[in-house]
Amino acid sequence: MVGQDGHRAKGRLPSQMRPLLCERSVLSRADGSAKWAQEGSAVLAAVHGPHQAGQRREDAERAVIEVLVKPRNGLAGPAEREAEEMLRQLLEQVLLTAHHPRTLILVVVQVLQADGSLLAVAINAVAAALADAGLPMRSMFAGVCCAFGADGTLVIDPDAAEEAAAGSVITAAFPCSHTLTQQHGSSSSSAAVPALSLPEASLLLHCKGRLGAPQLASGLEGCRRGCQGVAKFVALALTNSFKDAMVKSSDPAV
Amino acid sequence: MGDQGCGLVGKVVAPGDAVQALPASGSVRIGPGLRAEGSYVVAQKCGVVRQTRNGKLWLESKQKRYIPAEEDLVVGTITDRRGENFVVDIGAPFPAQLPMLSFEGATRRNRPNLVAGDLVYARVITANRDMDPVLTCVDAQGKSSGFGALKGGFVLECGLGHARALLARPPAPLLAALGAKLQFELAVGLNGRVWLDSSSCATTVKVANVLQQAQGVAAAEVQQWVAAQLQQ
């Protein structure tokens, strides 16, 4: 998959992701929505709720999470069912469901364009939509896909052609948040600055193809590095979306 | 109050981000959107960190789904009457209860005559995650003080952050700018519903359009923006 000059098709480096695009609040009727695109792959995610769950589905202790994945065309099949279940398990770890007992949180994922790394794109779209909906969460999360070529080279964020040619494909999601670290500066010793931290443990791991333990470890590490980049982008996108609110805070009248 | 977290006031945080380290002694007051986890105050949604004058930290976020909290002012629609209560839709996950006796001057003989579809401006007195929210249309002295049925007018929906900004004191620059030009009456609910009424439909429509489109206009530019909108 990697050519003689160390570049992939379309001139990307093995550890280079496609350009990311995130748009939030794209749907007017949903409580939270986001569109996430990685060049050829694009996904629209909508969050509805928390709202009253049906009598049969409600849980007296926590919110019930339901995920619907809709393919770009045709009817949802086993692949979509699998993605729904993986996303649901991911969300159960991340959402503070005990805050809203007896309710239902519905997440709808619509694939707009499919060109590889779809599960990772869907994970990122759902994360952005949940942030937009303002549901209580333990942390933000990011997902990245990587593929091993037949010759064992690792490429991050493969497109459809690379995925088809790959011997194995790994998708992993990691929680990402900012912790406060003490800065040992000269001016003030108590100044704490936020620093991005990604725990070692993944929230979701999906493997396809033949894979050895050392390959899995290096693939996970590759995904984790990719997630770091995605997390930085998400933090920047969030800050930009609150720009007018930040101006207000510097206003002396407030 | 430790002063370590003050660096983040006015900054945007995402869920899971640490806002402030918990001090070794003393207490920290935290409001909506924040929780204590380990040795940090941690955000649970994304928003801008704010601090009140008495040092309470809270998170100002933009969301659409209303989650009731005690002492919130809400605009609700009556959907049903059940026994001694009205059932009110306030846009929350569950319908709210409004006892018929919590109106000014209401007695068992003299009950307010409200039917499904009527609007009320009320205050949330019980907001518990395990129980339906309870509303009241009187203040602590038993007076109506602005609460009660809303007659006529028009209801528009907006984001929760926008509604909170409209309720600010001193009055939001947007309302001040509108009020200088037009005469209208309005009740802002923290559930993202704004009721407004005026002597003519034209004014009501004009105010509703400006209020709805003003979401996202920076505070500094509001006055100029409103003037431009009203000229059209």
Side-chain angles (χ1 to χ4, degrees):
Chain A
M1 281 189 280
V2 179
Q4 294 277 307
D5 56 346
H7 283 77
R8 293 147 77 176
K10 295 185 191 165
R12 265 197 296 161
L13 290 170
S15 63
Q16 191 182 1
M17 294 196 59
R18 290 174 285 184
L20 307 174
L21 184 99
C22 174
E23 240 179 288
R24 301 198 302 142
S25 298
V26 283
L27 303 175
S28 61
R29 300 295 294 265
D31 291 311
S33 58
K35 185 183 160 191
W36 184 283
Q38 290 172 206
E39 219 167 53
S41 289
V43 161
L44 182 69
V47 176
H48 299 268
H51 51 65
Q52 205 163 0
Q55 286 259 305
R56 238 182 265 163
R57 319 206 11 224
E58 75 169 29
D59 184 333
E61 301 291 329
R62 57 186 61 80
V64 177
I65 300 168
E66 188 180 330
V67 182
L68 289 177
V69 175
K70 308 204 175 211
R72 199 174 73 88
N73 48 21
L75 294 170
E80 281 73 29
R81 291 282 110 78
E82 186 195 11
E84 283 171 7
E85 187 54 22
M86 298 205 74
L87 284 171
R88 197 185 59 77
Q89 284 176 6
L90 164 70
L91 295 185
E92 296 219 317
Q93 297 173 70
V94 168
L95 285 170
L96 294 161
T97 49
H99 279 47
H100 302 300
R102 298 187 296 135
T103 60
L104 173 77
I105 296 167
L106 175 65
V107 178
V108 184
V109 175
Q110 170 71 54
V111 177
L112 299 176
Q113 273 177 288
D115 186 18
S117 311
L118 258 189
L119 183 57
V121 176
I123 291 167
N124 292 328
V126 169
L130 286 174
D132 186 45
L135 288 176
M137 283 197 273
R138 282 196 182 84
S139 73
M140 276 299 274
F141 54 94
V144 163
C145 180
C146 68
F148 285 100
D151 52 348
T153 50
L154 175 73
V155 293
I156 302 285
D157 191 20
D159 57 28
E162 285 171 327
E163 235 174 41
S168 52
V169 179
I170 303 173
T171 305
F174 288 89
C176 46
S177 54
H178 293 78
T179 50
L180 293 174
T181 50
Q182 294 297 319
Q183 198 177 39
H184 300 291
S186 52
S187 53
S188 65
S189 57
S190 69
V193 289
L196 186 68
S197 83
L198 258 72
E200 295 278 329
S202 66
L203 287 168
L204 175 152
L205 178 61
H206 182 256
C207 303
K208 212 167 67 185
R210 281 175 67 87
L211 204 62
Q215 267 191 318
L216 178 61
S218 70
L220 263 178
E221 193 44 43
C223 287
R224 195 159 165 270
R225 249 179 292 132
C227 284
Q228 222 141 15
V230 174
K232 276 185 195 151
F233 169 77
V234 168
L236 193 71
L238 276 182
T239 311
N240 282 343
S241 72
F242 276 93
K243 221 168 216 166
D244 52 315
M246 306 235 311
V247 172
K248 204 171 78 185
S249 71
S250 60
D251 191 343
V254 177
Chain B
M1 275 298 306
D3 53 352
Q4 289 176 328
C6 291
L8 276 184
V9 171
K11 294 270 162 61
V12 178
V13 290
D17 288 1
V19 172
Q20 180 184 3
L22 287 174
S25 61
S27 59
V28 180
R29 281 158 55 87
I30 54 175
L34 300 173
R35 67 196 180 106
E37 189 185 88
S39 55
Y40 288 100
V41 174
V42 172
Q44 59 182 24
K45 46 182 88 168
C46 66
V48 184
V49 183
R50 299 268 187 234
Q51 195 162 28
T52 59
R53 269 187 220 108
N54 52 16
K56 184 166 101 171
L57 286 167
W58 63 288
L59 211 58
E60 183 187 300
S61 54
K62 323 182 198 180
Q63 60 185 70
K64 285 199 228 161
R65 170 69 55 170
Y66 174 65
I67 304 297
E70 272 173 37
E71 293 303 317
D72 275 0
L73 311 176
V74 293
V75 173
T77 315
I78 305 237
T79 55
D80 198 3
R81 50 197 296 175
R82 216 165 277 167
E84 297 278 285
N85 296 315
F86 291 115
V87 181
V88 188
D89 168 35
I90 54 170
F94 294 98
Q97 308 284 331
L98 173 60
M100 287 179 188
L101 295 181
S102 35
F103 286 83
E104 184 181 328
T107 59
R108 308 208 77 167
R109 289 272 180 86
N110 178 23
R111 294 177 182 193
N113 187 23
L114 296 174
V115 293
D118 283 356
L119 292 165
V120 283
Y121 192 44
R123 186 166 61 98
V124 180
I125 47 169
T126 313
N128 184 313
R129 66 182 180 192
D130 295 308
M131 291 190 295
D132 287 350
V134 178
L135 310 177
T136 181
C137 281
V138 290
D139 63 4
Q141 279 78 42
K143 296 276 178 250
S144 73
S145 63
F147 301 117
L150 300 168
K151 296 211 171 59
F154 174 73
V155 173
L156 68 103
E157 304 218 344
C158 63
L160 302 191
H162 189 55
R164 192 173 284 278
L166 287 179
L167 270 179
R169 209 176 296 172
L174 172 62
L175 290 183
L178 270 174
K181 294 268 165 62
L182 301 168
Q183 246 186 10
F184 57 92
E185 209 181 334
L186 104 169
V188 181
L190 282 172
N191 55 346
R193 290 185 190 166
V194 181
W195 172 87
L196 50 97
D197 194 13
S198 71
S199 52
S200 77
C201 288
T203 316
T204 311
V205 170
K206 212 181 259 179
V207 174
N209 285 341
V210 170
L211 284 181
Q212 205 132 50
Q213 286 160 17
Q215 304 191 51
V217 176
E221 300 158 12
V222 155
Q223 209 159 5
Q224 238 179 343
W225 182 84
V226 169
Q229 291 289 312
L230 292 183
Q231 287 244 306
Q232 287 172 9

